[in-house]
Amino acid sequence: MYKIVLLRHGESQWNLENRFTGWTDVDLTEKGEAQAREAGHVLAKEGFRFDIAFTSLQTRANRTLNLCLESMNLSFIPVLKSWRLNERHYGALQGLDKSETAAKYGDEQVLVWRRSYDIPPPALELTDERFPGNDPRYADLPKDDLPQTECLKDCVARFLPYWDMEIKPRVAEGKSVIIAAHGNSLRSLYKHLAKVSDEDIIGVNIPTGMPLVFELNEKFETEKFYYLGDPEAVKKAMEAVANQGKAK
Ligand code: DG2
């Protein structure tokens, strides 16, 4: 039996401001930092101990991981970072207020952009300063891998090879793994591990800073999955995420 932990970063500045973030590199709020430390405390209390960690190339996930590991006295473990764990690219929506966008285009349209499996938000122009090709951290990526927008299907397509090639083999050799990433990049892995259909993934919302444990058998099939922490608080946090895309 293998156990892996998925952790969405703590509240970011743009989560607080309710803006579409995607590949925009925003930092954690103070509340987000506290959530990250608290996640570490909860994990330690539940007896978790990690051998290796994986995260994106984005500050909010990197810092969440560091703060979480620090509060577990595990700052020394190896951390592997990849753009493949980055948040789904939100295209031309990046920077816009989610509620204002819903007021302008309708709740239904925003739900499609946020949660549909295969309909991407409007794409960025290559000349747009938000295009990842303008960010030196992605300088080594092949041009074709640099997104102008992504739907969840695109995110699954880039995340799963990394899961198969880098993360899964470590788990199989007995390493205890934590993955600190983002709402939608983690929904990609969630969909795969929990075998969620393209239709049902629309209803899955992952809250910030709450450790999500997957228990897998030797065939890497999910036996069960659950959040650590108060179930009521988890439920409320999931609903709050769902409601972020509604007009006020
Ligand atoms: C959020 C997710 O990403 O937003 O890109 O706005 O997890 O990095 O804060 P994260 C964003 P929703 O898809 O839940 O609107």
Side-chain angles (χ1 to χ4, degrees):
M1 179 74 84
Y2 307 116
K3 265 188 194 181
I4 61 164
V5 173
L6 279 51
L7 180 63
R8 181 180 173 195
H9 59 80
E11 182 192 72
S12 74
Q13 188 56 36
W14 280 20
N15 294 148
L16 175 66
E17 293 172 23
N18 204 24
R19 295 164 76 179
F20 290 102
T21 317
W23 280 37
T24 316
D25 197 17
V26 296
D27 205 345
L28 298 176
T29 60
E30 275 181 28
K31 177 180 165 187
E33 293 173 353
Q35 287 177 319
R37 288 192 197 93
E38 178 58 18
H41 290 138
V42 171
L43 284 161
K45 199 170 123 232
E46 295 293 327
F48 283 84
R49 206 194 160 284
F50 301 110
D51 302 307
I52 188 165
F54 296 87
T55 187
S56 66
L57 294 186
Q58 297 184 283
T59 304
R60 56 196 185 275
N62 303 162
R63 291 200 59 230
T64 295
L65 179 65
N66 293 346
L67 292 165
C68 171
L69 293 178
E70 207 175 293
S71 55
M72 300 179 79
N73 291 321
L74 289 177
S75 294
F76 56 87
I77 69 166
V79 174
L80 300 189
K81 296 181 185 176
S82 171
W83 69 276
R84 291 181 182 275
L85 274 60
N86 273 20
E87 181 53 306
R88 176 167 67 100
H89 197 289
Y90 249 121
L93 299 183
Q94 286 187 181
L96 301 182
D97 182 291
K98 293 178 190 180
S99 288
E100 284 172 18
T101 307
K104 188 164 171 191
Y105 297 97
D107 287 1
E108 274 308 305
Q109 178 61 68
V110 169
L111 183 66
V112 168
W113 284 333
R114 290 181 79 209
R115 293 293 175 262
S116 73
Y117 182 56
D118 53 9
I119 303 175
L124 286 180
E125 300 287 336
L126 288 173
T127 50
D128 194 304
E129 59 176 13
R130 295 169 293 174
F131 176 59
N134 295 321
D135 187 332
R137 88 187 74 183
Y138 305 117
D140 291 340
L141 283 195
K143 284 261 171 299
D144 288 351
D145 284 338
L146 292 168
Q148 289 165 266
T149 185
E150 290 181 303
C151 58
L152 192 66
K153 192 177 177 185
D154 299 323
C155 199
V156 168
R158 64 162 155 89
F159 195 121
L160 286 192
Y162 192 78
W163 163 254
D164 286 330
M165 307 284 289
E166 300 293 340
I167 307 179
K168 205 170 149 182
R170 262 69 173 216
V171 178
E173 71 191 26
K175 297 272 188 284
S176 179
V177 164
I178 181 169
I179 304 167
H182 305 262
N184 295 298
S185 57
L186 289 175
R187 284 173 70 241
S188 303
L189 184 57
Y190 182 119
K191 184 179 190 301
H192 174 69
L193 293 177
K195 292 195 173 22
V196 183
S197 69
D198 297 358
E199 291 73 35
D200 290 347
I201 196 65
I202 293 172
V204 174
N205 289 287
I206 299 184
T208 53
M210 295 181 163
L212 172 58
V213 182
F214 272 85
E215 295 188 5
L216 313 170
N217 64 22
E218 319 73 56
K219 291 188 200 150
F220 275 85
E221 293 159 342
T222 298
E223 297 281 341
K224 57 177 177 167
F225 57 101
Y226 48 90
Y227 284 93
L228 298 181
D230 170 33
E232 258 318 292
V234 172
K235 192 164 163 265
K236 267 198 182 154
M238 285 174 176
E239 283 166 7
V241 174
N243 289 333
Q244 283 164 354
K246 295 182 183 162
K248 283 190 187 128

